[in-house]
Amino acid sequence: MKMKKSTAAGYVVTLCSLLALAGCGGGGGNGNSASNATGGNGDGGAPTESYIDYLASHHAAYTNTGTAENPSARFEDTSYSLSWLIATQTAEQAENLQKHIEFMGTSMANGGNPREWDKLFLADAYMKTEHRYETRVSVSGYNVLVEKVATDACAYQLLKAHATGISGKFFEGNIKVDFSPLAEAVIASEACAIDRSAIETYIAARLKPVPKGIQKNT
């Protein structure tokens, strides 16, 4: 489906008028190591391609443009869309954030379940395999624009929960957190009444034990 228009479009125009669009080329070594705490591939470890350890160690470099605040999404409830305009300090940081988002999307679209002990990420994977939302990421200079558009209220509420959790924890460098409570609240909501059984069945068939050292998001 085509991306719906949102206020994020204005950011794209502004960025492209000020900065030359930079593509995402091959990155250098990022020093990532597999870790059960971050979650990832089928055996519970995080593949280095996810760049999650890199993002955690460089979390302070990612901010809302023009501020020192954690990146936060703008939500457009009427169009089931959200957008992030994230500033970084180097081209590598911008490219590695793009690579992380694209890796996660590709993994889920292909039936993978990153962080398979986290119900929010499993619910996200369900929506991805059902083609219930689309993601677009663009890099312009040191700025990263992330846009997501859902097809319905349930998928959108899960995207909002994901974005809220990421802003409050991951961009503080804390990747050892379980967002399952956020997912449970959304799945139990009226927005997901029709999908509730299918989502819960998907999660139950794939949910793994939470690794040691992981804390519940409260």
Side-chain angles (χ1 to χ4, degrees):
M1 77 175 186
K2 294 183 178 179
M3 296 289 292
K4 297 181 180 178
K5 293 182 179 179
S6 70
T7 56
Y11 295 141
V12 177
V13 173
T14 301
L15 283 173
C16 290
S17 65
L18 296 175
L19 304 166
L21 188 63
C24 178
N30 54 47
N32 289 353
S33 59
S35 168
N36 284 338
T38 55
N41 57 16
D43 61 5
T48 57
E49 292 86 353
S50 75
Y51 289 85
I52 187 62
D53 292 324
Y54 176 94
L55 298 180
S57 64
H58 292 79
H59 68 92
Y62 297 92
T63 63
N64 276 329
T65 300
T67 76
E69 300 172 351
N70 284 356
S72 56
R74 292 173 178 262
F75 302 113
E76 294 291 335
D77 294 347
T78 56
S79 60
Y80 298 147
S81 65
L82 61 87
S83 62
W84 303 62
L85 185 59
I86 303 171
T88 69
Q89 297 177 359
T90 69
E92 179 185 62
Q93 292 163 0
E95 291 173 358
N96 286 349
L97 176 59
Q98 181 184 39
K99 290 174 182 177
H100 167 72
I101 296 170
E102 291 177 344
F103 171 86
M104 295 291 282
T106 299
S107 177
M108 291 188 292
N110 291 334
N113 294 288
R115 294 171 61 90
E116 56 202 345
W117 38 268
D118 190 323
K119 292 182 180 180
L120 182 58
F121 281 75
L122 286 171
D124 194 327
Y126 170 80
M127 290 299 177
K128 193 66 174 177
T129 58
E130 291 290 307
H131 307 290
R132 302 274 287 276
Y133 75 90
E134 287 191 354
T135 302
R136 182 167 59 194
V137 187
S138 58
V139 175
S140 185
Y142 296 168
N143 294 276
V144 181
L145 178 65
V146 183
E147 297 172 281
K148 294 189 177 186
V149 179
T151 61
D152 55 86
C154 183
Y156 175 61
Q157 291 301 323
L158 285 168
L159 291 181
K160 287 183 71 173
H162 186 122
T164 301
I166 294 300
S167 178
K169 296 295 182 180
F170 279 13
F171 282 115
E172 294 172 359
N174 184 4
I175 58 177
K176 297 183 178 181
V177 59
D178 180 4
F179 294 111
S180 292
L182 296 180
E184 291 166 353
V186 174
I187 295 168
S189 71
E190 182 178 353
C192 292
I194 296 176
D195 299 282
R196 188 172 302 131
S197 178
I199 298 172
E200 290 177 340
T201 297
Y202 183 94
I203 291 174
R206 294 162 178 81
L207 188 64
K208 302 295 184 182
V210 178
K212 292 182 179 180
I214 302 296
Q215 297 179 336
K216 288 281 187 182
N217 182 73
T218 57

